[in-house]
Amino acid sequence: MSVERRAPLPNPPLRAGEGADSIDWAAIRDDFPLLKREVHGKPLVYLDSANTGQKPAVVIDAVDDFFRNHNANVSRAVHALGTEATEAYEAARGKLARFLNVRGDELVLCSGTTFALNLVAYSWALPRLKAGDAIVLTRMEHHANIVPWQLVAERTGATIKVAAITDDGALDLDHLYSLLTPEVKLLGVTHVSNVLGTVNPVREICREARRRGVVTVIDGSQAAPHRPLDVAAIGCDFYAITGHKMAGPTGTGVLWARREHLAEMPPFLGGGEMIKEVRFDGTVYADAPHKFEAGTPNIAGFVGLGAAVDYLTGIGMAAIDAREQALLAHATQALSEVQGLRIFGTAREKAAVISFLVEDAHAHDLATLLDLEGVAIRSGHHCAHPLMQHFGVPATCRASFAFYNTFEEIDAFVAALQKVRKLLL
Ligand code: PMP
């Protein structure tokens, strides 16, 4: 299936307060059944959306409807159900293509960002890199954008160089560009940091990398759920997203790649669905993207992700961004009143994620006591050990916000934090 590339999106993301005012956010919150539940006898305050997002009823219903009424395997059967399942699965690809502003035949549907980045590592990098080559990563990468490259480096003899961050948690761009020397073949950068919230200027970074002949891999896991995306305009070579953080089911994700890369890359996994003809004297692979989609895919998951894309687009990604910026501003202000609280990551361009510690209290103790108050935040290393090493801490707490959160929830979170702080310190 092929979806034409659209013109670049005209509007930059709205900033705090703009555009979101006309939306009934209370009604939108009502779309999320789980947010109505209680935890430990208290109303749930879910502030862990950077970990995984909650699902609106339309997504749950779409998965339910698929299994109740349309379930069959894709691309195999000629019967009615097989056609319906294939059409629903390919319709999701088309929706994702429009969401990212790319062509559908450049999208590999997979299980998530981790799979997507490993696909690039094994299929693009492993056959190409050799001793003497280098890979550049940044200090703020998630393990999913570090370990696959370490595996490639181990096998090829390539080395890894790491771009530094500044005190406020922004990328040190001068340092990054100084690392892009001729032996560098690949640059891996997160669009938005899952720990610091920093929004990296990926368009500029990709332009600089491209000028130097460096292939760019962008981890868009924390960008796709929160802001309008125009992958075509970013100018990268690869862009990975995960469905479960953007209102979709777990086990769904997408790798976008330039067509010329997809055409040259060998398959990562072999099996059914990814071939044109199999003979013992030689197999002919299917064209991309199907060449990379061996076996039965997560059909119901992608039907759900398609519904999630419709849902997010229906609200409008610019309005979602503006709403979350307003929540972030409110939370940052409210947390500044908690004595001894230190925020990690205060870059000017920041998504709605706040990592923090309170004096000497351990992150897990804070999160455990907050849970008893009904407040769900994450504590730990957030799959970013090198970032924790940079700050000299084993763990942080992280509150992350989504458009379905409310200002009242943030006030309840900060009040609970004041209470548990007294218990711990
Ligand atoms: N990169 C970033 C920045 C993330 O936040 C995450 C999820 N925590 C991942 C990659 C991995 O995503 P997944 O587990 O869905 O593959």
Side-chain angles (χ1 to χ4, degrees):
M1 148 144 199
S2 134
V3 173
E4 289 309 309
R5 190 192 296 266
R6 296 185 311 157
L9 299 177
N11 299 320
L14 297 176
R15 302 318 314 168
E18 294 174 34
D21 300 345
S22 56
I23 292 175
D24 183 351
W25 293 105
I28 284 180
R29 184 184 169 83
D30 267 351
D31 293 337
F32 291 79
L34 188 141
L35 296 177
K36 297 184 176 71
R37 68 164 280 184
E38 294 192 339
V39 169
H40 305 303
K42 308 258 168 64
L44 169 68
V45 176
Y46 185 76
L47 302 182
D48 198 18
S49 294
N51 207 356
T52 197
Q54 295 305 343
K55 320 302 174 201
V58 283
V59 170
I60 301 166
D61 292 347
V63 175
D64 181 86
D65 174 65
F66 177 77
F67 282 128
R68 282 181 195 281
N69 299 310
H70 309 284
N71 181 48
N73 212 329
V74 291
S75 312
R76 286 179 189 167
V78 294
H79 56 67
L81 290 184
T83 307
E84 286 170 22
T86 304
E87 282 176 0
Y89 180 71
E90 291 301 333
R93 193 192 308 274
K95 290 174 189 187
L96 285 155
R98 283 187 291 280
F99 186 74
L100 298 172
N101 195 36
V102 293
R103 291 172 54 117
D105 59 5
E106 297 167 342
L107 288 186
V108 179
L109 305 190
C110 58
S111 65
T113 297
T114 303
F115 187 98
L117 295 173
N118 276 278
L119 171 55
V120 184
Y122 283 94
S123 234
W124 187 88
L126 199 56
R128 279 177 182 72
L129 267 54
K130 55 184 187 324
D133 290 340
I135 296 166
V136 172
L137 304 174
T138 85
R139 174 68 59 186
M140 68 174 84
E141 296 311 309
H142 186 281
H143 295 163
N145 206 18
I146 298 176
V147 184
W149 308 118
Q150 290 178 321
L151 293 168
V152 168
E154 264 171 31
R155 295 213 201 158
T156 59
T159 53
I160 293 179
K161 303 197 278 183
V162 183
I165 58 171
T166 57
D167 289 345
D168 61 355
L171 254 188
D172 183 339
L173 291 176
D174 290 337
H175 184 239
L176 170 61
Y177 299 149
S178 76
L179 295 179
L180 297 180
T181 46
E183 74 277 16
V184 176
K185 297 291 177 289
L186 182 143
L187 166 65
V189 184
T190 192
H191 193 162
V192 174
S193 161
N194 64 315
V195 181
L196 307 167
T198 308
V199 180
N200 288 317
V202 285
R203 200 170 170 167
E204 176 194 323
I205 291 169
C206 291
R207 194 178 54 231
E208 291 300 317
R210 186 155 274 266
R211 275 194 333 138
R212 295 162 171 87
V214 176
V215 162
T216 44
V217 183
I218 308 295
D219 175 351
S221 315
Q222 298 288 349
H226 304 297
R227 41 184 38 229
L229 270 185
D230 186 347
V231 170
I234 289 172
C236 54
D237 289 278
F238 298 98
Y239 196 96
I241 65 171
T242 198
H244 70 93
K245 294 185 204 285
M246 44 184 282
T250 45
T252 58
V254 174
L255 174 71
W256 173 80
R258 287 181 185 273
R259 245 172 317 156
E260 56 267 31
H261 293 318
L262 289 178
E264 286 172 10
M265 284 159 59
F268 178 32
L269 298 175
E273 308 279 358
M274 49 76 73
I275 47 85
K276 277 185 182 150
E277 187 184 5
V278 177
R279 303 166 66 98
F280 279 111
D281 57 0
T283 286
V284 183
Y285 306 128
D287 295 329
H290 303 286
K291 178 169 79 169
F292 302 104
E293 296 178 6
T296 299
N298 184 358
I299 309 164
F302 279 100
V303 169
L305 184 55
V309 166
D310 285 344
Y311 180 78
L312 295 176
T313 315
I315 299 171
M317 292 309 295
I320 285 175
D321 184 31
R323 164 79 175 174
E324 292 179 355
Q325 287 295 318
L327 291 168
L328 174 67
H330 183 75
T332 307
Q333 171 60 34
L335 286 172
S336 72
E337 274 147 39
V338 179
Q339 210 189 325
L341 185 137
R342 172 183 176 199
I343 290 180
F344 297 80
T346 52
R348 208 170 49 84
E349 280 286 311
K350 196 179 153 168
V353 169
I354 301 182
S355 285
F356 64 92
L357 283 174
V358 183
E359 293 181 40
D360 294 333
H362 197 284
H364 290 318
D365 293 340
L366 282 165
T368 305
L369 290 177
L370 282 171
D371 180 54
L372 295 176
E373 301 295 320
V375 180
I377 62 159
R378 184 166 173 197
S379 58
H381 52 68
H382 315 292
C383 300
H385 277 157
L387 200 51
M388 298 295 118
Q389 288 147 13
H390 171 83
F391 287 114
V393 295
T396 68
C397 292
R398 182 188 68 187
S400 52
F401 312 99
F403 55 90
Y404 45 66
N405 288 125
T406 65
F407 295 94
E408 294 73 28
E409 282 185 302
I410 290 171
D411 294 341
F413 155 55
V414 177
L417 187 58
Q418 295 281 24
K419 182 174 163 189
V420 307
R421 181 188 172 282
K422 287 200 193 100
L423 295 173
L424 285 173
L425 297 169

